[in-house]
């Protein structure tokens, strides 16, 4: 009886679409979409949000909340933390008097780490769903396609349900997915960041293709866990970041960890005797247990009817072209987050774009997104935080004669007792000359917990930080951040000095 009812319900649900009418339809339940949906509902709008995650080529699936929560910032930072805790145990604890077992007997239990990280992520999926309910946002676990600029078809492959949503405004927030190389064996044997955090088996020796944020962060925690890693570099690691800072990040990874940087390109990937072999254009055959592709991300903008309704995409990146109000070429359709052409692929950016957009749509506000002082941190084993311009970009933008660069090496007090290197941590501040206003236009720091320091500096830069403000600041001793008060002009001290503590 119950079974026949379920079959009948399935047939009815899958054939008869449910109709919804709303003020705002949000497509994508990631950082940007969730933030926009909750805020719009708070302003009184009737909101429907659709989110659907298709499995990766090797079958990894996850829940509501998008990339950051499930396969991005959150599991990444937790695994970074796990690796740093291993470093403390292996490298410093005994110097501070702790009686430790020999390093050979220390080992990471991947299954425990994976389970605990996954459980935390699931708790976030659950609380995100609860938050949508609390805000009276109608959530559809369904894949959305646009039929017209006001009509969206949502289909749930899991339940067979269909929904038709009629909306006054639409926010596109579909995010992206990792790009695979077009080489034999890539999808069959390779994985991406969408899979790494949930692998059943420990990843083991790993080759990572790409040398951006994701490649270096994953290599960092994997090496920290004791798995040797090789990074296949196309041009330079962390291209676009400050070269002095990147040199230190890379030197730390290669000198203190089992990470190797190899300049080469992938050609084919095969399985051989239980191992993977990545053959390269340069003729190498790299044998390993896991190959992870971290070659950038592609926006999920194709095949969902954007072309049918006339939303203009960049012909090269396929990202959505928007104006300063995040409006697309269709007047009631907006885009936020990773799919925005010329934006920044960062969670706080997606959230802020979404919140400001719905404030403009439903709360008569006019503030627009300002990208100038967006800070970021690369969570490599030695973190690199920055905000504003690199030294090269500042010289190019303002002219070399108008820019001054101050820097210093830092030897954190905590690193002295265990004899950790004294030539890695570093701070650089790029300013305009005093006669040009002296404004700080770039800040870069390589040190433990760099993200925590960088966030404070970003706030000061938003408030108009100048070199004179830094000079007036009294340090907090003994901290890493007090290096602000001990900077050298690069033209007087070309190699950043190490003051010691
Ligand atoms: P997403 O969070 O990707 O959400 C989009 C959602 O829409 C997804 O659930 C997707 O499945 C769904 N969707 C797509 N198409 C449809 C459709 N047609 N119908 C229904 N649903 C659909 N940023 C940071 O700021 N700090 C970090 O430390 C950081 N670390 C990262 C580490 C990794 C490994 C990765 C991959 C990213 C990291 N990022 C980090 C970037 C950050 O995760 C993204 O910038 C952010 O998640 C973008 O949010 P979004 O809302 O644009 O899209
Ligand atoms: P990314 O930072 O853009 O780096 C992509 C890397 O792949 C680059 O090294 C690039 O080399 C290389 N590459 C691209 N195409 C290639 C090809 N065909 N063959 C070989 N190498 C190739 O991208 P990502 O690391 O995938 O990260 C995506 C985005 O997520 C980032 O831009 C960032 O905004 C966000 N993210 C943020 C954080 C954080 O905030 N901590 C962490 C992770 C991710 P070239 O330099 O030569 O182009």
């Amino acid at each position: 009886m119950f079974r026949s009812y379920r079959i009948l319900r399935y047939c009815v649900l899958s054939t008869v679409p449910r109709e919804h009418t709303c003020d705002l339809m949000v497509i994508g339940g990631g950082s940007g979409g969730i933030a926009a949906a909750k805020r719009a509902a708070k302003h009184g709008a009737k909101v429907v949000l659709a989110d659907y995650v298709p499995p990766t080529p090797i079958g990894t699936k996850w829940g509501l909340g998008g990339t950051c929560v499930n396969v991005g910032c959150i599991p990444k930072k937790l695994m970074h933390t796990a690796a740093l805790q291993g470093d403390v145990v292996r490298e410093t604890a005994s110097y501070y008097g702790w009686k430790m077992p020999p390093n050979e007997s220390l080992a990471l239990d991947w299954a425990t780490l994976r389970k605990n990280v996954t459980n935390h992520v699931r708790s976030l999926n659950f609380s995100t769903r609860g938050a949508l309910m609390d805000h009276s946002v109608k959530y559809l676990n369904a894949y959305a396609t646009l039929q017209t600029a006001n009509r969206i078809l949502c289909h749930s492959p899991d339940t067979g349900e269909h929904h038709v949503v009629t909306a006054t405004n639409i926010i596109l927030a579909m995010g992206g997915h990792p790009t695979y190389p077009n080489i034999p064996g890539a999808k069959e044997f390779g994985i991406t960041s969408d899979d790494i955090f949930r692998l059943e088996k420990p990843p083991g020796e790993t080759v990572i293709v790409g040398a951006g944020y994701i490649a270096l962060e994953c290599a960092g925690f994997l090496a920290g866990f004791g798995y040797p890693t090789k990074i296949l570099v196309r041009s330079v690691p962390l291209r676009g970041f400050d070269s002095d800072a990147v040199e230190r990040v890379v030197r730390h990874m290669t000198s203190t960890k089992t990470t190797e940087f190899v300049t080469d390109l992938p050609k084919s990937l095969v399985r051989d005797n239980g191992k993977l072999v990545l053959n390269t254009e340069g003729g190498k055959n790299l044998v390993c247990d896991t190959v992870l592709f971290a070659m950038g991300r592609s926006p999920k903008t194709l095949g969902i009817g954007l072309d049918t309704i006339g939303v203009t995409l960049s012909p090269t990146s396929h990202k959505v072209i928007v104006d300063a109000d995040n409006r697309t070429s269709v007047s009631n359709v907006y885009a936020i987050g990773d799919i925005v052409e010329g934006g920044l692929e960062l969670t706080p950016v997606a959230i802020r774009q979404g919140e400001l957009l719905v404030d403009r749509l439903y709360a008569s506000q006019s503030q627009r997104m300002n990208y100038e002082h967006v800070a970021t941190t690369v969570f490599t084993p030695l973190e690199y935080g920055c905000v504003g311009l690199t030294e090269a970009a500042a010289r190019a933008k303002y002219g070399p004669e108008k820019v001054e660069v101050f820097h210093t090496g830092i030897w954190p007090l905590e690193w002295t007792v265990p004899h950790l290197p004294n030539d890695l941590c570093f701070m650089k501040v790029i300013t305009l000359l005093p006669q040009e206003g002296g404004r700080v236009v770039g800040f870069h720091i390589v040190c433990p917990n760099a993200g925590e320091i960088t966030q404070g500096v970003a706030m000061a830069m938003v408030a108009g930080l100048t070199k004179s403000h830094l000079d007036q600041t009294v340090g907090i001793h003994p901290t890493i951040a007090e290096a602000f008060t001990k900077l050298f002009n690069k033209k007087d001290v070309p190699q950043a000095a190490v003051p010691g503590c």
Side-chain angles (χ1 to χ4, degrees), residues 207-286:
V207 174
I208 300 179
V209 181
Y213 272 80
I214 295 178
L216 267 68
E217 290 181 343
C218 290
F221 65 70
L222 292 174
F225 297 160
Y227 309 129
T229 56
K230 276 196 186 65
I231 296 180
L232 223 59
V233 187
R234 177 168 70 174
S235 55
V236 290
L238 294 177
R239 183 165 60 81
F241 286 88
D242 193 88
S243 53
D244 288 336
V246 173
E247 185 273 326
R248 285 157 189 267
V249 166
V250 169
R251 188 150 45 87
H252 179 252
M253 291 179 79
T254 51
S255 64
T256 68
K257 310 274 171 238
T258 52
T259 302
E260 197 186 327
F261 288 78
V262 180
T263 303
D264 213 331
L265 289 170
K267 192 174 171 194
S268 67
L269 178 57
V270 293
R271 193 185 284 288
D272 186 21
N273 271 332
K275 287 279 195 182
L276 295 181
V277 183
L278 184 74
N279 304 305
T280 70
E281 291 288 350
K284 297 182 191 69
N285 305 311
L286 305 174

Side-chain angles (χ1 to χ4, degrees), residues 24 32 46 51 75 105-106 130 146 156 257 266 310 352 372 418 427 433-434:
L24 176 66
K46 189 173 174 200
D51 185 70
S105 65
L106 289 174
L146 291 115
S156 170
K257 310 274 171 238
R352 182 60 62 88
E372 198 186 346
M427 179 186 291
L433 289 179

Side-chain angles (χ1 to χ4, degrees), residues 320-446:
V320 183
I321 295 176
V322 296
D323 66 13
D325 285 320
N326 288 80
R327 193 190 294 264
T328 70
S329 49
V330 177
S331 64
N332 68 319
V333 180
Y334 302 82
I336 58 172
D338 281 9
I339 58 169
V340 168
E341 173 71 4
L344 294 165
E345 293 181 19
L346 296 171
T347 275
V349 170
I351 292 172
R352 182 60 62 88
Q353 285 173 337
E355 290 180 346
L356 291 176
L357 169 59
V358 298
D359 285 354
R360 292 192 300 270
L361 287 175
Y362 301 110
S364 311
Q365 304 285 313
S366 58
Q367 200 186 333
R368 289 168 164 172
M369 181 72 201
N370 178 357
Y371 296 92
E372 198 186 346
H373 294 122
V374 175
T376 183
T377 291
V378 187
F379 293 97
T380 33
L382 189 55
E383 295 180 9
Y384 166 27
C386 60
V387 50
L389 302 175
T390 63
E391 182 179 340
R395 291 191 197 285
K397 179 168 179 185
Y398 295 104
E401 69 292 351
K402 295 190 176 160
V403 169
E404 271 188 310
V405 179
F406 299 87
H407 62 179
T408 184
I410 305 162
W411 194 18
L413 176 64
E414 299 80 351
W415 282 29
T416 55
V417 170
H419 308 301
L420 294 179
N422 67 0
D423 60 349
L424 287 171
C425 299
F426 157 86
M427 179 186 291
K428 180 189 274 188
V429 174
I430 303 143
T431 74
L432 299 181
L433 289 179
Q435 56 271 34
E436 301 292 331
R439 200 159 55 84
V440 174
V441 295
F443 170 81
H444 303 264
I445 187 163
V446 177

Side-chain angles (χ1 to χ4, degrees), residues 134-212:
D134 291 347
H135 286 77
S136 304
V137 172
K138 173 76 186 166
Y139 161 58
L140 304 176
N141 180 210
Y143 193 74
T145 355
L146 291 115
Q147 292 189 314
T148 72
N150 296 102
R151 196 177 146 87
I152 308 101
L153 185 66
C154 299
H155 169 238
S156 170
D158 301 338
T159 62
E161 286 182 13
H162 286 87
H163 301 258
V164 174
V165 183
T166 306
T168 312
N169 289 316
I170 297 173
I171 296 181
L172 307 171
M174 291 88 66
H177 57 83
T179 310
Y180 285 81
N182 191 14
I183 59 166
K187 287 195 176 164
E188 200 179 346
F189 304 120
I191 63 162
T192 69
S193 54
D194 281 357
D195 304 298
I196 186 77
F197 305 109
R198 299 209 176 181
L199 285 184
E200 293 283 346
K201 284 203 312 202
E205 192 168 349
T206 303
V207 174
I208 300 179
V209 181

Side-chain angles (χ1 to χ4, degrees), residues 469-482:
H469 290 133
L470 286 179
D471 295 339
Q472 291 169 52
T473 302
V474 177
I476 303 171
H477 190 67
T479 64
I480 291 171
E482 71 175 320

